């Protein structure tokens, strides 16, 4: 299988970082939520995002990309990591207040940032069809999670 470089390699690295950050963010949300149903759902989302990161890492290795090293073009993975961090940064303050609505809002923001990164990745011209399929599937599942969160915000 061919080695890929450039924006496609960066896309893999960015999405791995995004999912690792989201897994941690959702775990913190699960620990901070007062509602048992939210705790369970946030834990499920945390596990899902950890699985996404693992799946992307394994897939990237098939194309000669080591996501553990963060070896993106010009080291630009920091941009995506910073954006994701900004997307999840307020989760701790929301948790401090034990306000489920605020926690839902921060999770929604984090997923919105992730979705933007997925959409950017799908614009990569160098992305192999198989990779695009995996990324589109994960995007769809994140969008579904974000929609669930948005719906929950309206009921709390």
């Amino acid at each position: 299988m061919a080695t890929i470089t450039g924006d496609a390699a960066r896309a893999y690295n960015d999405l791995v970082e995004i999912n690792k950050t989201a897994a941690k963010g959702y775990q913190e949300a699960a620990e901070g939520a007062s509602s048992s149903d939210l705790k369970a759902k946030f834990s499920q989302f945390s596990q899902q995002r950890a699985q996404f990161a693992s799946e992307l890492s394994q897939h990237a290795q098939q194309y000669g990309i080591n996501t553990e090293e963060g070896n993106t073009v010009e080291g630009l993975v920091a941009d995506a990591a910073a954006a994701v961090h900004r997307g999840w940064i307020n989760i701790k303050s929301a948790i401090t207040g034990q306000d489920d609505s605020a926690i839902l809002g921060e999770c929604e923001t984090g997923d919105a940032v992730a979705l933007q990164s997925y959409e950017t990745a799908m614009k990569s011209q160098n992305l192999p069809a198989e990779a695009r399929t995996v990324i589109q599937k994960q995007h769809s599942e994140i969008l579904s999670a974000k929609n669930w969160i948005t719906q929950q915000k309206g009921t709390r």
Side-chain angles (χ1 to χ4, degrees):
M1 193 170 283
T3 298
I4 59 174
T5 59
D7 59 348
R10 179 176 180 200
Y12 270 109
N13 282 294
D14 289 353
L15 296 180
V16 168
E17 278 305 308
I18 284 162
N19 281 293
K20 286 179 179 179
T21 302
K24 290 175 189 169
Y26 271 120
Q27 188 57 45
E28 289 179 10
E31 292 166 5
S34 58
S35 163
S36 60
D37 64 323
L38 283 180
K39 284 181 180 290
K41 196 67 167 177
F42 290 154
S43 288
Q44 178 186 346
F45 288 153
S46 175
Q47 292 169 1
Q48 176 192 57
R49 300 311 160 79
Q51 178 59 39
F52 285 175
S54 176
E55 181 180 15
L56 287 167
S57 289
Q58 291 171 5
H59 206 262
Q61 287 175 353
Q62 296 175 10
Y63 294 103
I65 302 165
N66 183 349
T67 58
E68 298 304 314
E69 291 178 3
N71 59 348
T72 57
V73 176
E74 301 172 2
L76 292 175
V77 73
D79 292 348
V84 171
H85 181 67
R86 285 191 300 274
W88 284 96
I89 192 79
N90 293 325
I91 193 80
K92 288 186 184 200
S93 60
I95 290 169
T96 302
Q98 293 290 310
D99 181 346
D100 286 351
S101 180
I103 294 171
L104 284 162
E106 295 308 323
C107 292
E108 182 180 44
T109 300
D111 276 350
V113 171
L115 288 168
Q116 289 174 341
S117 295
Y118 270 81
E119 288 156 13
T120 298
M122 287 187 286
K123 291 177 187 173
S124 170
Q125 299 301 313
N126 300 332
L127 207 57
E130 182 182 352
R132 189 173 306 280
T133 300
V134 169
I135 290 170
Q136 286 173 333
K137 177 183 171 290
Q138 289 184 1
H139 176 275
S140 176
E141 291 185 42
I142 292 170
L143 180 59
S144 177
K146 182 182 173 290
N147 290 341
W148 182 87
I149 288 167
T150 300
Q151 182 180 34
Q152 294 304 304
K153 268 182 42 184
T155 64
R156 303 208 185 244

